[in-house]
Every structure is written in structure tokens, then in C-alpha cells.
Amino acid sequence: MNDAPLENVSEHKHLGITLSSNAKWSSHIQDIYSKACKRLNIMRYLKHKIDRQSLERLYIAFIRPILEYGNIIWDNCTQEESDLIESVQQAAARIVTGLRKGTPRWKLYKELGWDSLQNRRQKNKLLFLHKTISGDIPNYIAADILSCTNTNDQYGLRKKREFKTPQCRTTAYKNSFIPHTLEKWNSLDGEVKNILSFTGFKRKLNEDISPCPVFFSTGSRKVNIIHCQLRNEASDLKDHLFCDHLSDSSMCACGDPVEDNFHFFYVCPFYIYQRYELFRKISNFKNVNLDVLLQGCSDLNIDENTEIFTYVQQYIHETGRFL
């Protein structure tokens, strides 16, 4: 990974993004990107040596804080700079999941239960404002924000949940911390703005994020990656490769015209014995279908889902299809 400054670079391919030829980077964004990339290289070195859960913890503990330090202040960066910072998290997500380059961002984040860095910056601004209203921020920091409090509010400070946004003559000022945060706050639903508990407010903001099931980390690293790739239709099955324009045909070696997940688990004549063993082992579970084999089932507990995933991964290994 080349960590040199990115100014005047016409095409930046290290993390899978393309930038305009006149891209200019602030020194702060360059520093964030460079420091994060160096630690990302450690994740690359370890991606086949430690399990998925450990890799995710490594990113969250040692790389994401670099990408988010002081982020509520520099969130008015350009879209290209935002995309550059986001590309580091996307690269980390590919390392953790084992999904290949070109996998859509939404699919990576859904698989892991992650929020985009841009959304996290927006939420962090609102969380900071909530602390300010609650009196948890020193006055010398909060004074400029609280000066915008709607003076027509008849209630005490802790009940003042509306703000007058400053007049902005320039786009740069409009996108800066105070005007942008106050505008975002005023756009929130009244019920959300009136949540007094910081924990409750944070939980409400994150309702759009579904946490990754614990059992997605089941199994050895190699087979866990293949299971994840099957779940996201990004494996080496011919139909997955064909849909991603990486193969000229979706035909299975057995002659079936489509080698997809259903074919692999239910149809292909190459794996009759392995398939028999898989469904014999999971016969104690009711209503097991392809979605359960790949995604798990919300009606089952963690141990039951882990057991099913273990059997599925044994099947994947014993077929030898991905070796």
C-alpha cells in the first residue's frame, strides 16, 4: 500500500475508488487516510490467521477511531474526501467478510451490521448536541450552540428542543458544525428530540442498523468466508461469477444450466452423499430451507443456529467444490 500524499493523483486504485484528476486533499484528510492504511495492512496480514470476530474487533478498536477522531468538526469535507475515508472502511469490511472487490457497500455493511462513516458522523453530531442540551458539555464549548436556542420556548433549558439556525451566506459555513447540526436536529421527529436519556436517544438513532448475528462467525476462517460468499451470492459458483461478469457461463460442471446456491445445496448430483449427511444432521430442526442454511433463523437461538451453520460448513468442506 502506497501511503504517499494523494494530491494531483488522477486515479486512486489502492482501495478500489476512482477520483477526478483535480482532486485536492486537505492535510488532515491525508493524515487520516495514511495512518488508517498502515493499520489496514496489519489486518491484511492477519486476514487468514485469525477469525472473523477478531478481525472485526481489530478494525473497531484500532482503525475506526483514526477515521473518526474529531469527525464532527471536519464532516464538512468534500464528497471525494468523504469517499476516500469511507473506502478504508469498505476495504476493512472486505477483509473481515472475505467478500471480493466490487461487492457493493450496502451489501458489505449489511453483512456486518455496520453503519457508513458518513452516517456515523451525522449521528455523532446529534449525540453531541444532545449532550449540550443536557448540560453535559462545558459552557465555554456549549455557549455558541445554546445561543441559538429558540427563545420562544417556555420551558427550562432541558426542555428546549428547538433551535434557530444561523443565517448562512456561504455553502462552506452552512455545512460547518453548528448550522448543519442544528438543521439536522430540527428535522428530527418531535418524539425523538424529547428523549431525555442519552442512551435512549442513541438507541433511537441507530434503529436503522441491524446487528450482525453472532453465529455468522461460526467455523474455521476459510470455510466461514465461503459460507459468507454463498450468503451474499458472491462465491465461485458459476452463476455468481456469471452475474458479476467474471464468467462467460452459469453452467455447472454436471451439465445443469445454472449453478447457484439452490443447485449446490439441493440438486447437484456430484454431492449426493454429502447432501444426505447434511440433511440427516439437521433433520431435528423444523422448516429448514435455503435461507436458514445461509442466514440462520430468528426463531432459533444462537446455539441452534450455530449448530446448523456448523453442519452447513461441514457440507461445504466435504464437497470440495471451493478447494
Side-chain angles (χ1 to χ4, degrees):
M1 170 79 62
N2 181 9
D3 291 322
L6 303 176
E7 190 169 348
N8 296 325
V9 175
S10 61
E11 193 170 19
H12 177 60
K13 298 180 179 179
H14 300 301
L15 295 180
I17 59 173
T18 302
L19 308 170
S20 63
S21 58
N22 61 349
K24 299 290 184 179
W25 312 101
S26 70
S27 59
H28 183 66
I29 297 297
Q30 287 186 49
D31 288 343
I32 292 173
Y33 171 81
S34 182
K35 290 177 183 177
C37 283
K38 289 176 181 178
R39 296 193 181 185
L40 197 64
N41 285 333
I42 299 175
M43 284 187 65
R44 286 196 175 92
Y45 175 75
L46 295 173
K47 66 180 179 180
H48 294 303
K49 300 179 184 294
I50 59 178
D51 60 39
R52 168 173 167 152
Q53 195 171 50
S54 298
L55 283 168
E56 184 174 8
R57 288 173 177 171
L58 184 64
Y59 168 72
I60 291 173
F62 295 104
I63 299 179
R64 193 167 71 182
I66 295 174
L67 301 174
E68 296 194 319
Y69 183 75
N71 62 356
I72 63 175
I73 302 301
W74 54 262
D75 184 42
N76 62 340
C77 62
T78 67
Q79 187 59 51
E80 285 185 323
E81 289 173 331
S82 177
D83 289 342
L84 183 71
I85 298 299
E86 195 75 50
S87 70
V88 180
Q89 176 162 280
Q90 285 181 253
R94 289 195 298 271
I95 292 171
V96 174
T97 61
L99 295 173
R100 57 174 166 257
K101 187 176 179 179
T103 302
R105 178 191 300 178
W106 68 265
K107 187 174 287 190
L108 288 167
Y109 291 177
K110 181 181 179 181
E111 169 69 23
L112 291 166
W114 289 2
D115 202 357
S116 70
L117 294 176
Q118 185 172 18
N119 285 344
R120 286 177 59 84
R121 291 196 294 273
Q122 304 297 313
K123 292 173 182 178
N124 284 343
K125 286 180 175 181
L126 295 173
L127 291 171
F128 184 88
L129 184 54
H130 188 280
K131 285 185 176 181
T132 301
I133 297 172
S134 300
D136 297 328
I137 300 297
N139 287 335
Y140 69 91
I141 297 177
D144 287 340
I145 298 175
L146 295 179
S147 66
C148 298
T149 302
N150 191 339
T151 55
N152 294 325
D153 198 316
Q154 301 177 0
Y155 302 99
L157 180 60
R158 290 181 179 270
K159 294 291 185 180
K160 292 182 178 179
R161 301 288 169 173
E162 290 290 336
F163 292 87
K164 291 182 178 179
T165 56
Q167 291 185 347
C168 304
R169 296 182 179 179
T170 65
T171 301
Y173 180 50
K174 183 178 180 180
N175 292 333
S176 64
F177 173 67
I178 293 180
H180 189 259
T181 305
L182 297 184
E183 182 180 356
K184 284 288 184 182
W185 177 273
N186 287 340
S187 68
L188 291 175
D189 184 84
E191 181 182 350
V192 178
K193 285 186 285 191
N194 287 318
I195 298 175
L196 299 182
S197 164
F198 179 80
T199 302
F201 182 70
K202 184 176 182 179
R203 186 183 301 114
K204 189 68 176 179
L205 291 183
N206 288 317
E207 277 187 344
D208 59 327
I209 303 299
S210 299
C212 173
V214 175
F215 49 86
F216 273 22
S217 298
T218 300
S220 67
R221 177 63 176 158
K222 184 175 181 178
V223 184
N224 178 271
I225 287 176
I226 298 170
H227 198 177
C228 173
Q229 291 171 342
L230 290 168
R231 180 164 54 247
N232 289 278
E233 299 185 343
S235 73
D236 287 341
L237 293 180
K238 284 298 186 67
D239 187 62
H240 297 169
L241 295 174
F242 180 74
C243 291
D244 286 341
H245 309 288
L246 298 173
S247 175
D248 295 331
S249 171
S250 62
M251 181 177 290
C252 179
C254 74
D256 192 287
V258 179
E259 186 192 26
D260 57 8
N261 285 333
F262 183 82
H263 177 82
F264 175 66
F265 282 101
Y266 289 92
V267 178
C268 189
F270 290 158
Y271 317 123
I272 293 175
Y273 172 75
Q274 295 90 337
R275 184 175 300 114
Y276 170 80
E277 286 296 311
L278 169 62
F279 286 99
R280 181 183 64 82
K281 292 173 181 176
I282 64 175
S283 60
N284 293 331
F285 301 98
K286 296 180 180 179
N287 302 321
V288 175
N289 54 26
L290 183 59
D291 285 341
V292 176
L293 297 180
L294 297 175
Q295 306 279 352
C297 179
S298 58
D299 293 333
L300 302 176
N301 60 40
I302 293 176
D303 291 338
E304 291 170 328
N305 277 298
T306 300
E307 186 177 355
I308 290 176
F309 269 41
T310 299
Y311 295 145
V312 169
Q313 292 181 14
Q314 287 176 0
Y315 172 79
I316 292 171
H317 174 73
E318 290 171 1
T319 62
R321 170 63 180 83
F322 304 96
L323 298 180

